[in-house]
Amino acid sequence: MNATELTIEKFESFLLDVPTIRPHILSMATMHSQTIVLLRITFSDGTVGLGEASTIGGLAYGDESPEGIKVSLDSYFAPLLLNQPYKSVGGTMLRISKNIVGNRFAKNAIEIALMDAMGHRLGVPVSELLGGRIVDHIPVLWVLASGDLSKDIAEAEEMIASRRHNVFKIKIGKRSVDQDVAHVAAIKQALGDAASIRVDVNQAWTRWQANRGSAMLADAGIDLIEQPLRHDDIEGMKQLVQQGRIAIMADESVQGPKIAFDMTTAYSADVYSIKIAQSGGLSEAARVASIVSISGAAPYGGTMLEPHIGTMASAQLFSTFPSLEWGTELFAPLLLKEQYVNETLDYVDFGLTVPNSPGLGISLDEDKVSYFSRK
């Protein structure tokens, strides 16, 4: 090995358990805390890159869990990377893909860290490594997920008044269609034209429920339904789109470029949630966004409730999108009671400001990392 060759000298992963400000209720789970896989990669030139992975409700949501991600990173990814010649982000991710099947969330954490380090090495933000940003401020919605009508309305009104959020997503699917629609309609009626209201069913409805619910939600003035059907029911999603009652967004269905291509060619959604973890990394998420945009559908900036590092990585990518008609949902750092980074993300004027500092623009508060680390 050439003495001047760049190598990865350290590969460290941590599990952090951070409590949320309130219960976050989904159709398949209720979250009281978020478990985060934190990754730190140190190169032979002293450059450090940070990565992050998280899931929603553990294995109740998808096929990767924080604990499994950490085991995979330590047992399979680290041996591929440690003390090996390092040439580029793309070359490294290709080598990983040839040796490790699946594990999209873990691969995402790796690529975030590699791009963060590259940004620091070159003195540019990660957005410049992804084609260059178009905007410095991206719209961000807030999720009303307490399940309590009066609390949801009060929370939304406070967000609008403080100019933090004026677009709201409501998690439904645990109750009957009639109960859920009544809850959502009451919130829309209370907020009126001051807010856009969307719902996220998280795959909980049958086709019959979706047909009935979509008509009722459209009549109530709701703007969009996210993933009403199972992730693999592409035909059912297509039928809802063809009815044209209300915008239909695909989320759990969008698991990488190939599936995005299949769905867009079948006209199975109006809007597609782009998630860097679900796509398998920043580069793959950028490919998904290109496919969606070329198809004439709309890309949307999604989240796996990644806190500060994952959120900023997503924001760096989303800032390069030519259009964000439906905005983003990069609210996860605001859902945590405490933060474990030194920087406070700038949520203002109904959105998030994307910093221009090198890499992700994020550094760790080592004391907080130690405090929240699972022992």
PDB file of all heavy atoms in Angstrom, residues 86-121:
ATOM      1  N   TYR A  86      -8.761   3.911  -0.075  1.00  0.00           N
ATOM      2  CA  TYR A  86     -10.023   4.619  -0.307  1.00  0.00           C
ATOM      3  C   TYR A  86      -9.835   5.587  -1.471  1.00  0.00           C
ATOM      4  O   TYR A  86      -8.974   6.462  -1.427  1.00  0.00           O
ATOM      5  CB  TYR A  86     -10.455   5.381   0.950  1.00  0.00           C
ATOM      6  CG  TYR A  86     -11.697   6.215   0.741  1.00  0.00           C
ATOM      7  CD1 TYR A  86     -12.948   5.640   0.819  1.00  0.00           C
ATOM      8  CD2 TYR A  86     -11.590   7.573   0.441  1.00  0.00           C
ATOM      9  CE1 TYR A  86     -14.091   6.398   0.607  1.00  0.00           C
ATOM     10  CE2 TYR A  86     -12.724   8.334   0.218  1.00  0.00           C
ATOM     11  CZ  TYR A  86     -13.973   7.744   0.307  1.00  0.00           C
ATOM     12  OH  TYR A  86     -15.107   8.486   0.091  1.00  0.00           O
ATOM     13  N   LYS A  87     -10.643   5.428  -2.518  1.00  0.00           N
ATOM     14  CA  LYS A  87     -10.533   6.275  -3.703  1.00  0.00           C
ATOM     15  C   LYS A  87     -11.665   7.291  -3.798  1.00  0.00           C
ATOM     16  O   LYS A  87     -11.432   8.468  -4.056  1.00  0.00           O
ATOM     17  CB  LYS A  87     -10.527   5.404  -4.968  1.00  0.00           C
ATOM     18  CG  LYS A  87      -9.369   4.416  -5.043  1.00  0.00           C
ATOM     19  CD  LYS A  87      -8.025   5.104  -5.157  1.00  0.00           C
ATOM     20  CE  LYS A  87      -6.898   4.103  -5.339  1.00  0.00           C
ATOM     21  NZ  LYS A  87      -5.564   4.745  -5.348  1.00  0.00           N
ATOM     22  N   SER A  88     -12.909   6.817  -3.631  1.00  0.00           N
ATOM     23  CA  SER A  88     -14.051   7.704  -3.842  1.00  0.00           C
ATOM     24  C   SER A  88     -15.283   7.158  -3.140  1.00  0.00           C
ATOM     25  O   SER A  88     -15.338   5.973  -2.773  1.00  0.00           O
ATOM     26  CB  SER A  88     -14.351   7.843  -5.337  1.00  0.00           C
ATOM     27  OG  SER A  88     -14.815   6.602  -5.862  1.00  0.00           O
ATOM     28  N   VAL A  89     -16.291   8.030  -2.984  1.00  0.00           N
ATOM     29  CA  VAL A  89     -17.564   7.607  -2.396  1.00  0.00           C
ATOM     30  C   VAL A  89     -18.223   6.571  -3.305  1.00  0.00           C
ATOM     31  O   VAL A  89     -18.645   5.496  -2.850  1.00  0.00           O
ATOM     32  CB  VAL A  89     -18.506   8.815  -2.207  1.00  0.00           C
ATOM     33  CG1 VAL A  89     -19.876   8.341  -1.694  1.00  0.00           C
ATOM     34  CG2 VAL A  89     -17.906   9.822  -1.236  1.00  0.00           C
ATOM     35  N   GLY A  90     -18.301   6.883  -4.595  1.00  0.00           N
ATOM     36  CA  GLY A  90     -18.968   5.986  -5.536  1.00  0.00           C
ATOM     37  C   GLY A  90     -18.311   4.625  -5.616  1.00  0.00           C
ATOM     38  O   GLY A  90     -18.988   3.582  -5.611  1.00  0.00           O
ATOM     39  N   GLY A  91     -16.991   4.600  -5.684  1.00  0.00           N
ATOM     40  CA  GLY A  91     -16.276   3.336  -5.765  1.00  0.00           C
ATOM     41  C   GLY A  91     -16.464   2.493  -4.516  1.00  0.00           C
ATOM     42  O   GLY A  91     -16.614   1.265  -4.587  1.00  0.00           O
ATOM     43  N   THR A  92     -16.463   3.154  -3.371  1.00  0.00           N
ATOM     44  CA  THR A  92     -16.652   2.437  -2.108  1.00  0.00           C
ATOM     45  C   THR A  92     -18.058   1.859  -2.009  1.00  0.00           C
ATOM     46  O   THR A  92     -18.244   0.708  -1.599  1.00  0.00           O
ATOM     47  CB  THR A  92     -16.386   3.370  -0.920  1.00  0.00           C
ATOM     48  OG1 THR A  92     -15.049   3.872  -1.015  1.00  0.00           O
ATOM     49  CG2 THR A  92     -16.566   2.645   0.404  1.00  0.00           C
ATOM     50  N   MET A  93     -19.071   2.640  -2.394  1.00  0.00           N
ATOM     51  CA  MET A  93     -20.453   2.158  -2.330  1.00  0.00           C
ATOM     52  C   MET A  93     -20.677   1.008  -3.316  1.00  0.00           C
ATOM     53  O   MET A  93     -21.437   0.080  -3.032  1.00  0.00           O
ATOM     54  CB  MET A  93     -21.425   3.296  -2.600  1.00  0.00           C
ATOM     55  CG  MET A  93     -21.417   4.401  -1.548  1.00  0.00           C
ATOM     56  SD  MET A  93     -21.640   3.805   0.152  1.00  0.00           S
ATOM     57  CE  MET A  93     -23.296   3.091   0.062  1.00  0.00           C
ATOM     58  N   LEU A  94     -20.005   1.051  -4.468  1.00  0.00           N
ATOM     59  CA  LEU A  94     -20.126  -0.044  -5.430  1.00  0.00           C
ATOM     60  C   LEU A  94     -19.524  -1.326  -4.851  1.00  0.00           C
ATOM     61  O   LEU A  94     -20.101  -2.413  -4.975  1.00  0.00           O
ATOM     62  CB  LEU A  94     -19.429   0.318  -6.733  1.00  0.00           C
ATOM     63  CG  LEU A  94     -19.463  -0.758  -7.830  1.00  0.00           C
ATOM     64  CD1 LEU A  94     -20.898  -1.070  -8.236  1.00  0.00           C
ATOM     65  CD2 LEU A  94     -18.655  -0.296  -9.046  1.00  0.00           C
ATOM     66  N   ARG A  95     -18.367  -1.203  -4.194  1.00  0.00           N
ATOM     67  CA  ARG A  95     -17.738  -2.379  -3.584  1.00  0.00           C
ATOM     68  C   ARG A  95     -18.625  -2.956  -2.484  1.00  0.00           C
ATOM     69  O   ARG A  95     -18.765  -4.181  -2.357  1.00  0.00           O
ATOM     70  CB  ARG A  95     -16.368  -1.992  -3.014  1.00  0.00           C
ATOM     71  CG  ARG A  95     -15.597  -3.158  -2.410  1.00  0.00           C
ATOM     72  CD  ARG A  95     -14.105  -2.885  -2.434  1.00  0.00           C
ATOM     73  NE  ARG A  95     -13.780  -1.656  -1.749  1.00  0.00           N
ATOM     74  CZ  ARG A  95     -13.489  -1.593  -0.437  1.00  0.00           C
ATOM     75  NH1 ARG A  95     -13.514  -2.689   0.294  1.00  0.00           N
ATOM     76  NH2 ARG A  95     -13.168  -0.454   0.129  1.00  0.00           N
ATOM     77  N   ILE A  96     -19.240  -2.085  -1.707  1.00  0.00           N
ATOM     78  CA  ILE A  96     -20.155  -2.548  -0.665  1.00  0.00           C
ATOM     79  C   ILE A  96     -21.333  -3.294  -1.284  1.00  0.00           C
ATOM     80  O   ILE A  96     -21.718  -4.377  -0.830  1.00  0.00           O
ATOM     81  CB  ILE A  96     -20.649  -1.356   0.174  1.00  0.00           C
ATOM     82  CG1 ILE A  96     -19.528  -0.856   1.101  1.00  0.00           C
ATOM     83  CG2 ILE A  96     -21.881  -1.731   0.998  1.00  0.00           C
ATOM     84  CD1 ILE A  96     -19.845   0.430   1.818  1.00  0.00           C
ATOM     85  N   SER A  97     -21.918  -2.729  -2.331  1.00  0.00           N
ATOM     86  CA  SER A  97     -23.088  -3.349  -2.963  1.00  0.00           C
ATOM     87  C   SER A  97     -22.766  -4.710  -3.558  1.00  0.00           C
ATOM     88  O   SER A  97     -23.620  -5.603  -3.586  1.00  0.00           O
ATOM     89  CB  SER A  97     -23.641  -2.429  -4.059  1.00  0.00           C
ATOM     90  OG  SER A  97     -24.163  -1.250  -3.494  1.00  0.00           O
ATOM     91  N   LYS A  98     -21.538  -4.877  -4.048  1.00  0.00           N
ATOM     92  CA  LYS A  98     -21.142  -6.168  -4.627  1.00  0.00           C
ATOM     93  C   LYS A  98     -20.940  -7.231  -3.559  1.00  0.00           C
ATOM     94  O   LYS A  98     -20.989  -8.434  -3.851  1.00  0.00           O
ATOM     95  CB  LYS A  98     -19.854  -6.002  -5.428  1.00  0.00           C
ATOM     96  CG  LYS A  98     -20.054  -5.292  -6.762  1.00  0.00           C
ATOM     97  CD  LYS A  98     -18.748  -5.191  -7.517  1.00  0.00           C
ATOM     98  CE  LYS A  98     -18.961  -4.573  -8.903  1.00  0.00           C
ATOM     99  NZ  LYS A  98     -17.686  -4.456  -9.648  1.00  0.00           N
ATOM    100  N   ASN A  99     -20.719  -6.806  -2.316  1.00  0.00           N
ATOM    101  CA  ASN A  99     -20.424  -7.753  -1.246  1.00  0.00           C
ATOM    102  C   ASN A  99     -21.555  -7.922  -0.236  1.00  0.00           C
ATOM    103  O   ASN A  99     -21.569  -8.919   0.498  1.00  0.00           O
ATOM    104  CB  ASN A  99     -19.156  -7.319  -0.494  1.00  0.00           C
ATOM    105  CG  ASN A  99     -17.890  -7.563  -1.284  1.00  0.00           C
ATOM    106  OD1 ASN A  99     -17.346  -8.660  -1.265  1.00  0.00           O
ATOM    107  ND2 ASN A  99     -17.426  -6.540  -2.002  1.00  0.00           N
ATOM    108  N   ILE A 100     -22.482  -6.939  -0.191  1.00  0.00           N
ATOM    109  CA  ILE A 100     -23.558  -6.987   0.808  1.00  0.00           C
ATOM    110  C   ILE A 100     -24.893  -6.745   0.126  1.00  0.00           C
ATOM    111  O   ILE A 100     -25.094  -5.707  -0.516  1.00  0.00           O
ATOM    112  CB  ILE A 100     -23.324  -5.940   1.923  1.00  0.00           C
ATOM    113  CG1 ILE A 100     -22.022  -6.241   2.654  1.00  0.00           C
ATOM    114  CG2 ILE A 100     -24.495  -5.922   2.898  1.00  0.00           C
ATOM    115  CD1 ILE A 100     -21.642  -5.226   3.710  1.00  0.00           C
ATOM    116  N   VAL A 101     -25.794  -7.705   0.271  1.00  0.00           N
ATOM    117  CA  VAL A 101     -27.129  -7.611  -0.330  1.00  0.00           C
ATOM    118  C   VAL A 101     -28.066  -6.855   0.618  1.00  0.00           C
ATOM    119  O   VAL A 101     -27.995  -7.017   1.840  1.00  0.00           O
ATOM    120  CB  VAL A 101     -27.693  -9.024  -0.610  1.00  0.00           C
ATOM    121  CG1 VAL A 101     -29.125  -8.952  -1.116  1.00  0.00           C
ATOM    122  CG2 VAL A 101     -26.807  -9.753  -1.603  1.00  0.00           C
ATOM    123  N   GLY A 102     -28.961  -6.023   0.069  1.00  0.00           N
ATOM    124  CA  GLY A 102     -29.953  -5.345   0.902  1.00  0.00           C
ATOM    125  C   GLY A 102     -29.317  -4.378   1.881  1.00  0.00           C
ATOM    126  O   GLY A 102     -28.386  -3.656   1.555  1.00  0.00           O
ATOM    127  N   ASN A 103     -29.841  -4.376   3.118  1.00  0.00           N
ATOM    128  CA  ASN A 103     -29.307  -3.506   4.181  1.00  0.00           C
ATOM    129  C   ASN A 103     -29.238  -2.052   3.730  1.00  0.00           C
ATOM    130  O   ASN A 103     -28.212  -1.371   3.867  1.00  0.00           O
ATOM    131  CB  ASN A 103     -27.931  -4.000   4.633  1.00  0.00           C
ATOM    132  CG  ASN A 103     -28.002  -5.288   5.423  1.00  0.00           C
ATOM    133  OD1 ASN A 103     -28.203  -5.278   6.630  1.00  0.00           O
ATOM    134  ND2 ASN A 103     -27.885  -6.408   4.733  1.00  0.00           N
ATOM    135  N   ARG A 104     -30.365  -1.549   3.191  1.00  0.00           N
ATOM    136  CA  ARG A 104     -30.399  -0.199   2.637  1.00  0.00           C
ATOM    137  C   ARG A 104     -30.132   0.872   3.693  1.00  0.00           C
ATOM    138  O   ARG A 104     -29.467   1.868   3.426  1.00  0.00           O
ATOM    139  CB  ARG A 104     -31.753   0.043   1.964  1.00  0.00           C
ATOM    140  CG  ARG A 104     -31.940  -0.754   0.682  1.00  0.00           C
ATOM    141  CD  ARG A 104     -33.367  -0.694   0.171  1.00  0.00           C
ATOM    142  NE  ARG A 104     -34.271  -1.449   1.021  1.00  0.00           N
ATOM    143  CZ  ARG A 104     -35.377  -0.961   1.573  1.00  0.00           C
ATOM    144  NH1 ARG A 104     -35.729   0.286   1.359  1.00  0.00           N
ATOM    145  NH2 ARG A 104     -36.142  -1.715   2.327  1.00  0.00           N
ATOM    146  N   PHE A 105     -30.657   0.692   4.898  1.00  0.00           N
ATOM    147  CA  PHE A 105     -30.486   1.705   5.934  1.00  0.00           C
ATOM    148  C   PHE A 105     -29.020   1.803   6.365  1.00  0.00           C
ATOM    149  O   PHE A 105     -28.494   2.901   6.579  1.00  0.00           O
ATOM    150  CB  PHE A 105     -31.369   1.380   7.146  1.00  0.00           C
ATOM    151  CG  PHE A 105     -32.825   1.621   6.912  1.00  0.00           C
ATOM    152  CD1 PHE A 105     -33.498   1.033   5.849  1.00  0.00           C
ATOM    153  CD2 PHE A 105     -33.550   2.433   7.763  1.00  0.00           C
ATOM    154  CE1 PHE A 105     -34.842   1.251   5.628  1.00  0.00           C
ATOM    155  CE2 PHE A 105     -34.897   2.664   7.549  1.00  0.00           C
ATOM    156  CZ  PHE A 105     -35.552   2.070   6.487  1.00  0.00           C
ATOM    157  N   ALA A 106     -28.368   0.645   6.496  1.00  0.00           N
ATOM    158  CA  ALA A 106     -26.956   0.639   6.865  1.00  0.00           C
ATOM    159  C   ALA A 106     -26.104   1.263   5.764  1.00  0.00           C
ATOM    160  O   ALA A 106     -25.184   2.052   6.036  1.00  0.00           O
ATOM    161  CB  ALA A 106     -26.505  -0.792   7.153  1.00  0.00           C
ATOM    162  N   LYS A 107     -26.408   0.938   4.512  1.00  0.00           N
ATOM    163  CA  LYS A 107     -25.673   1.521   3.391  1.00  0.00           C
ATOM    164  C   LYS A 107     -25.845   3.039   3.358  1.00  0.00           C
ATOM    165  O   LYS A 107     -24.902   3.779   3.043  1.00  0.00           O
ATOM    166  CB  LYS A 107     -26.148   0.903   2.079  1.00  0.00           C
ATOM    167  CG  LYS A 107     -25.686  -0.533   1.874  1.00  0.00           C
ATOM    168  CD  LYS A 107     -26.271  -1.157   0.623  1.00  0.00           C
ATOM    169  CE  LYS A 107     -25.764  -2.585   0.440  1.00  0.00           C
ATOM    170  NZ  LYS A 107     -26.423  -3.277  -0.693  1.00  0.00           N
ATOM    171  N   ASN A 108     -27.032   3.493   3.690  1.00  0.00           N
ATOM    172  CA  ASN A 108     -27.285   4.929   3.725  1.00  0.00           C
ATOM    173  C   ASN A 108     -26.402   5.610   4.772  1.00  0.00           C
ATOM    174  O   ASN A 108     -25.826   6.669   4.517  1.00  0.00           O
ATOM    175  CB  ASN A 108     -28.760   5.182   4.025  1.00  0.00           C
ATOM    176  CG  ASN A 108     -29.081   6.642   4.190  1.00  0.00           C
ATOM    177  OD1 ASN A 108     -28.821   7.454   3.319  1.00  0.00           O
ATOM    178  ND2 ASN A 108     -29.652   6.996   5.337  1.00  0.00           N
ATOM    179  N   ALA A 109     -26.317   5.010   5.964  1.00  0.00           N
ATOM    180  CA  ALA A 109     -25.482   5.600   7.019  1.00  0.00           C
ATOM    181  C   ALA A 109     -24.029   5.712   6.564  1.00  0.00           C
ATOM    182  O   ALA A 109     -23.353   6.719   6.825  1.00  0.00           O
ATOM    183  CB  ALA A 109     -25.577   4.754   8.291  1.00  0.00           C
ATOM    184  N   ILE A 110     -23.550   4.671   5.870  1.00  0.00           N
ATOM    185  CA  ILE A 110     -22.175   4.693   5.357  1.00  0.00           C
ATOM    186  C   ILE A 110     -21.983   5.830   4.357  1.00  0.00           C
ATOM    187  O   ILE A 110     -21.025   6.622   4.448  1.00  0.00           O
ATOM    188  CB  ILE A 110     -21.847   3.352   4.654  1.00  0.00           C
ATOM    189  CG1 ILE A 110     -21.868   2.190   5.637  1.00  0.00           C
ATOM    190  CG2 ILE A 110     -20.506   3.455   3.924  1.00  0.00           C
ATOM    191  CD1 ILE A 110     -20.638   2.025   6.446  1.00  0.00           C
ATOM    192  N   GLU A 111     -22.893   5.930   3.383  1.00  0.00           N
ATOM    193  CA  GLU A 111     -22.706   6.947   2.343  1.00  0.00           C
ATOM    194  C   GLU A 111     -22.807   8.357   2.913  1.00  0.00           C
ATOM    195  O   GLU A 111     -22.079   9.260   2.487  1.00  0.00           O
ATOM    196  CB  GLU A 111     -23.714   6.768   1.209  1.00  0.00           C
ATOM    197  CG  GLU A 111     -23.372   7.666   0.024  1.00  0.00           C
ATOM    198  CD  GLU A 111     -24.235   7.446  -1.197  1.00  0.00           C
ATOM    199  OE1 GLU A 111     -25.402   7.030  -1.029  1.00  0.00           O
ATOM    200  OE2 GLU A 111     -23.750   7.704  -2.305  1.00  0.00           O
ATOM    201  N   ILE A 112     -23.696   8.571   3.878  1.00  0.00           N
ATOM    202  CA  ILE A 112     -23.768   9.889   4.524  1.00  0.00           C
ATOM    203  C   ILE A 112     -22.412  10.241   5.123  1.00  0.00           C
ATOM    204  O   ILE A 112     -21.895  11.354   4.938  1.00  0.00           O
ATOM    205  CB  ILE A 112     -24.850   9.908   5.621  1.00  0.00           C
ATOM    206  CG1 ILE A 112     -26.251   9.810   5.024  1.00  0.00           C
ATOM    207  CG2 ILE A 112     -24.738  11.194   6.443  1.00  0.00           C
ATOM    208  CD1 ILE A 112     -27.339   9.661   6.071  1.00  0.00           C
ATOM    209  N   ALA A 113     -21.812   9.286   5.859  1.00  0.00           N
ATOM    210  CA  ALA A 113     -20.521   9.551   6.508  1.00  0.00           C
ATOM    211  C   ALA A 113     -19.419   9.810   5.485  1.00  0.00           C
ATOM    212  O   ALA A 113     -18.584  10.709   5.664  1.00  0.00           O
ATOM    213  CB  ALA A 113     -20.147   8.383   7.418  1.00  0.00           C
ATOM    214  N   LEU A 114     -19.403   9.041   4.404  1.00  0.00           N
ATOM    215  CA  LEU A 114     -18.381   9.239   3.373  1.00  0.00           C
ATOM    216  C   LEU A 114     -18.523  10.606   2.715  1.00  0.00           C
ATOM    217  O   LEU A 114     -17.517  11.287   2.446  1.00  0.00           O
ATOM    218  CB  LEU A 114     -18.487   8.136   2.317  1.00  0.00           C
ATOM    219  CG  LEU A 114     -18.224   6.697   2.768  1.00  0.00           C
ATOM    220  CD1 LEU A 114     -18.363   5.736   1.595  1.00  0.00           C
ATOM    221  CD2 LEU A 114     -16.865   6.553   3.431  1.00  0.00           C
ATOM    222  N   MET A 115     -19.768  11.022   2.444  1.00  0.00           N
ATOM    223  CA  MET A 115     -19.983  12.327   1.805  1.00  0.00           C
ATOM    224  C   MET A 115     -19.701  13.472   2.775  1.00  0.00           C
ATOM    225  O   MET A 115     -19.191  14.526   2.370  1.00  0.00           O
ATOM    226  CB  MET A 115     -21.398  12.410   1.255  1.00  0.00           C
ATOM    227  CG  MET A 115     -21.607  11.596   0.001  1.00  0.00           C
ATOM    228  SD  MET A 115     -22.957  12.227  -0.999  1.00  0.00           S
ATOM    229  CE  MET A 115     -22.813  11.176  -2.447  1.00  0.00           C
ATOM    230  N   ASP A 116     -20.026  13.277   4.047  1.00  0.00           N
ATOM    231  CA  ASP A 116     -19.716  14.300   5.043  1.00  0.00           C
ATOM    232  C   ASP A 116     -18.206  14.523   5.088  1.00  0.00           C
ATOM    233  O   ASP A 116     -17.724  15.665   5.068  1.00  0.00           O
ATOM    234  CB  ASP A 116     -20.247  13.860   6.403  1.00  0.00           C
ATOM    235  CG  ASP A 116     -20.032  14.902   7.495  1.00  0.00           C
ATOM    236  OD1 ASP A 116     -20.096  16.115   7.192  1.00  0.00           O
ATOM    237  OD2 ASP A 116     -19.814  14.504   8.661  1.00  0.00           O
ATOM    238  N   ALA A 117     -17.449  13.423   5.133  1.00  0.00           N
ATOM    239  CA  ALA A 117     -15.988  13.531   5.164  1.00  0.00           C
ATOM    240  C   ALA A 117     -15.457  14.186   3.893  1.00  0.00           C
ATOM    241  O   ALA A 117     -14.556  15.037   3.945  1.00  0.00           O
ATOM    242  CB  ALA A 117     -15.371  12.147   5.352  1.00  0.00           C
ATOM    243  N   MET A 118     -16.004  13.810   2.739  1.00  0.00           N
ATOM    244  CA  MET A 118     -15.565  14.401   1.475  1.00  0.00           C
ATOM    245  C   MET A 118     -15.844  15.900   1.443  1.00  0.00           C
ATOM    246  O   MET A 118     -15.008  16.696   0.971  1.00  0.00           O
ATOM    247  CB  MET A 118     -16.274  13.711   0.310  1.00  0.00           C
ATOM    248  CG  MET A 118     -15.886  14.258  -1.063  1.00  0.00           C
ATOM    249  SD  MET A 118     -14.150  13.995  -1.472  1.00  0.00           S
ATOM    250  CE  MET A 118     -14.178  12.240  -1.841  1.00  0.00           C
ATOM    251  N   GLY A 119     -17.014  16.294   1.952  1.00  0.00           N
ATOM    252  CA  GLY A 119     -17.333  17.715   2.005  1.00  0.00           C
ATOM    253  C   GLY A 119     -16.342  18.487   2.855  1.00  0.00           C
ATOM    254  O   GLY A 119     -15.899  19.581   2.486  1.00  0.00           O
ATOM    255  N   HIS A 120     -15.961  17.918   3.994  1.00  0.00           N
ATOM    256  CA  HIS A 120     -14.955  18.559   4.856  1.00  0.00           C
ATOM    257  C   HIS A 120     -13.598  18.610   4.160  1.00  0.00           C
ATOM    258  O   HIS A 120     -12.886  19.617   4.248  1.00  0.00           O
ATOM    259  CB  HIS A 120     -14.845  17.803   6.178  1.00  0.00           C
ATOM    260  CG  HIS A 120     -15.973  18.064   7.125  1.00  0.00           C
ATOM    261  ND1 HIS A 120     -16.149  19.262   7.773  1.00  0.00           N
ATOM    262  CD2 HIS A 120     -17.011  17.277   7.515  1.00  0.00           C
ATOM    263  CE1 HIS A 120     -17.220  19.215   8.541  1.00  0.00           C
ATOM    264  NE2 HIS A 120     -17.772  18.017   8.399  1.00  0.00           N
ATOM    265  N   ARG A 121     -13.258  17.539   3.464  1.00  0.00           N
ATOM    266  CA  ARG A 121     -11.958  17.477   2.786  1.00  0.00           C
ATOM    267  C   ARG A 121     -11.854  18.540   1.695  1.00  0.00           C
ATOM    268  O   ARG A 121     -10.800  19.149   1.496  1.00  0.00           O
ATOM    269  CB  ARG A 121     -11.773  16.070   2.194  1.00  0.00           C
ATOM    270  CG  ARG A 121     -10.351  15.745   1.785  1.00  0.00           C
ATOM    271  CD  ARG A 121     -10.229  14.274   1.386  1.00  0.00           C
ATOM    272  NE  ARG A 121     -10.421  13.391   2.525  1.00  0.00           N
ATOM    273  CZ  ARG A 121     -11.384  12.471   2.621  1.00  0.00           C
ATOM    274  NH1 ARG A 121     -12.240  12.299   1.630  1.00  0.00           N
ATOM    275  NH2 ARG A 121     -11.483  11.713   3.687  1.00  0.00           N
TER     276      ARG A 121
END
